[in-house]
Amino acid sequence: MAGQHHDRMVCVGQIATAHGVRGLVKLRSFTADPAAIASYGPLSDQSGQRRFNLRVVGEAKDQLIAAVEGIEDRDAAAALRGLRLYVPRERLPEPEDEEEYYLVDLIGLAVETVDGSPFGRVVAIEDYGAGDVVEIALAGKAGTVAAPFTRACFPVVDIAGGRLVIDPPPGLLDRPEPAPAGRRRHG
């Protein structure tokens, strides 16, 4: 799937809560220009099954207030709480300079160490709330590792060259040794 450009979805916002009684919602926009979220055409849920047409009608603190087509009352709006909104990658504008990129563009890139040795391939980018995490399928080994997507850990992001350079933090590749057969630790 990573190789199929048209299948790549980018999260551009998230519905926070209902606003008022007429079906409006408060949402957080993750786009450079927050109000542009409504200009990318219909948005969808992560599966792409449900579509949402938005119209931004105002702002409140760091959130937008939007009308969602087909959502007419507070209960329907409240049912959307927490919903992440996605758009196909190809609908987004290309970054204007080579230092900018979409995280989804990292999926499928080769990962190598600072000395040029193959390390693996990016299989996912996750955000568990403390910052982005890069999941890497290891080269020549079973399994994956997750590394924080920071400049210290990934000093080189070379989209044009199809690679990331990793300077793995201490312990990233350390795996706990299994307990000898027949012995278990109780903690």
Side-chain angles (χ1 to χ4, degrees):
M1 179 165 144
Q4 296 177 345
H5 192 70
H6 66 278
D7 283 345
R8 298 192 309 178
M9 301 293 281
V10 177
C11 182
V12 293
Q14 183 174 19
I15 294 177
T17 186
H19 178 78
V21 296
R22 294 194 173 96
L24 297 178
V25 296
K26 284 186 183 177
L27 67 94
R28 289 187 294 278
S29 174
F30 305 144
T31 56
D33 169 11
I37 190 171
S39 68
Y40 297 122
L43 305 178
S44 68
D45 61 3
Q46 188 168 11
S47 70
Q49 299 300 307
R50 296 170 61 199
R51 295 199 174 291
F52 304 92
N53 286 306
L54 298 182
R55 185 170 45 86
V56 175
V57 298
E59 291 185 41
K61 294 185 183 171
D62 59 345
Q63 297 180 334
L64 298 174
I65 298 171
V68 181
E69 187 177 292
I71 303 298
E72 305 294 332
D73 62 47
R74 185 174 184 85
D75 289 343
L80 299 177
R81 181 184 183 133
L83 178 72
R84 289 178 174 263
L85 300 167
Y86 292 81
V87 66
R89 165 65 178 90
E90 66 268 12
R91 273 203 230 142
L92 297 172
E94 287 303 315
E96 291 181 18
D97 83 50
E98 60 187 49
E99 293 288 312
E100 292 184 344
Y101 46 83
Y102 295 104
L103 291 174
V104 71
D105 292 341
L106 302 177
I107 297 171
L109 294 185
V111 180
E112 55 190 51
T113 59
V114 283
D115 67 5
S117 302
F119 187 86
R121 187 160 300 278
V122 177
V123 293
I125 307 290
E126 302 291 343
D127 181 356
Y128 299 109
D132 295 313
V133 174
V134 179
E135 185 179 346
I136 304 163
L138 297 171
K141 298 179 186 172
T144 62
V145 295
F149 189 56
T150 62
R151 190 171 294 279
C153 193
F154 292 95
V156 176
V157 176
D158 180 6
I159 302 286
R163 70 190 182 109
L164 292 179
V165 174
I166 189 170
D167 186 1
L172 181 67
L173 296 176
D174 297 345
R175 301 219 188 261
E177 292 297 319
R183 288 180 49 201
R184 292 212 164 69
R185 288 164 65 185
H186 296 284

